[in-house]
Amino acid sequence: KPATTFTGRIEAKNKVDLRVRVDGFLEKRLFDEGADVKEGDLLFVIEKGLYQAALDQAKAALETAQATLKLADMDVDRQTQLLQRNVVAQATLDQVTAKQGEARGTMLAQKAALEKAELQLGYTDIKSPISGRIGRASVSVGNFVSPSNSALATIVSQDPIYASFPVTQREMLAVRKEQEANNNGQFVVYIQLADGSRYS
């Protein structure tokens, strides 16, 4: 059967818009526009000072909360022993047990705050989630960026890549009939480039 020709286009399998997740001034751009980048490559850096300070503060708050909880645990142990010897009333143990629960809650809240601070500091490094070719940067170093900004740049994968082409329903039905007639025979598809050469 003679070959059927379709006009198609080349499409990347993956396309990722790099977006900011925290506010700050763009400090570095670590790639050349139009270059190939690998998954995990550091591409942009947002000023870290504010987020590093928040992380240090969260660490200090967690240490304080852990010390308060440790003291509350010791208080509960002490009051439990005194209650067993009938030296203090049950109400005293109840009070220190309540303070222990409050200290544990504060410690867990500070732990969550530390994890959030670590996450936000991590967002100041913007890395490539895929391997591919990166386009033009939409923001220059020194500008203030925030999550409401448009994408900083776009990465499109280069391998694999799709060649897509439209096929009418009539043509698809004709192909299926021919396959059935040939016991599911295979069809060969070639790609001819714009210069007339055949893609290997």
Side-chain angles (χ1 to χ4, degrees):
K1 182 183 174 180
T4 306
T5 302
F6 302 96
T7 300
R9 66 177 185 271
I10 303 301
E11 297 178 336
K13 180 180 178 185
N14 296 308
K15 177 182 173 186
V16 176
D17 290 332
L18 296 174
R19 296 197 176 273
V20 176
R21 297 175 108 174
V22 290
D23 294 332
F25 287 94
L26 195 61
E27 196 171 70
K28 295 177 186 173
R29 187 193 87 196
L30 303 167
F31 64 91
D32 294 323
E33 294 173 330
D36 289 333
V37 295
K38 290 186 171 60
E39 182 179 345
D41 283 356
L42 182 60
L43 303 174
F44 292 99
V45 176
I46 296 171
E47 197 173 50
K48 296 178 183 295
L50 184 67
Y51 298 101
Q52 184 63 58
L55 178 62
D56 294 342
Q57 187 177 11
K59 283 179 181 175
L62 179 59
E63 285 180 20
T64 301
Q66 287 171 331
T68 302
L69 178 59
K70 186 175 181 181
L71 185 62
D73 289 342
M74 289 167 43
D75 228 1
V76 167
D77 288 344
R78 189 179 310 113
Q79 295 303 326
T80 301
Q81 290 171 13
L82 291 173
L83 181 66
Q84 287 170 352
R85 292 194 301 238
N86 293 320
V87 176
V88 295
Q90 178 68 44
T92 305
L93 177 60
D94 292 344
Q95 285 176 344
V96 294
T97 302
K99 284 184 180 177
Q100 180 190 40
E102 188 179 323
R104 185 174 290 112
T106 301
M107 189 271 297
L108 290 172
Q110 293 302 334
K111 193 173 181 183
L114 175 63
E115 288 170 0
K116 181 180 178 183
E118 285 173 339
L119 197 60
Q120 289 191 317
L121 179 61
Y123 288 153
T124 60
D125 287 336
I126 300 170
K127 298 179 180 180
S128 178
I130 62 170
S131 295
R133 184 157 295 158
I134 191 163
R136 190 177 71 81
S138 64
V139 179
S140 300
V141 170
N143 282 305
F144 184 81
V145 292
S146 75
S148 62
N149 281 102
S150 59
L152 293 177
T154 300
I155 302 171
V156 291
S157 61
Q158 299 292 300
D159 183 21
I161 199 161
Y162 293 133
S164 62
F165 53 93
V167 179
T168 66
Q169 186 177 15
R170 179 177 288 167
E171 289 165 327
M172 183 58 71
L173 290 171
V175 166
R176 286 188 178 152
K177 281 183 184 174
E178 192 169 327
Q179 274 188 310
E180 288 172 10
N182 293 327
N183 294 323
N184 289 325
Q186 297 297 308
F187 290 85
V188 179
V189 178
Y190 295 104
I191 297 176
Q192 184 174 312
L193 304 176
D195 64 1
S197 62
R198 182 178 282 180
Y199 181 65
S200 59

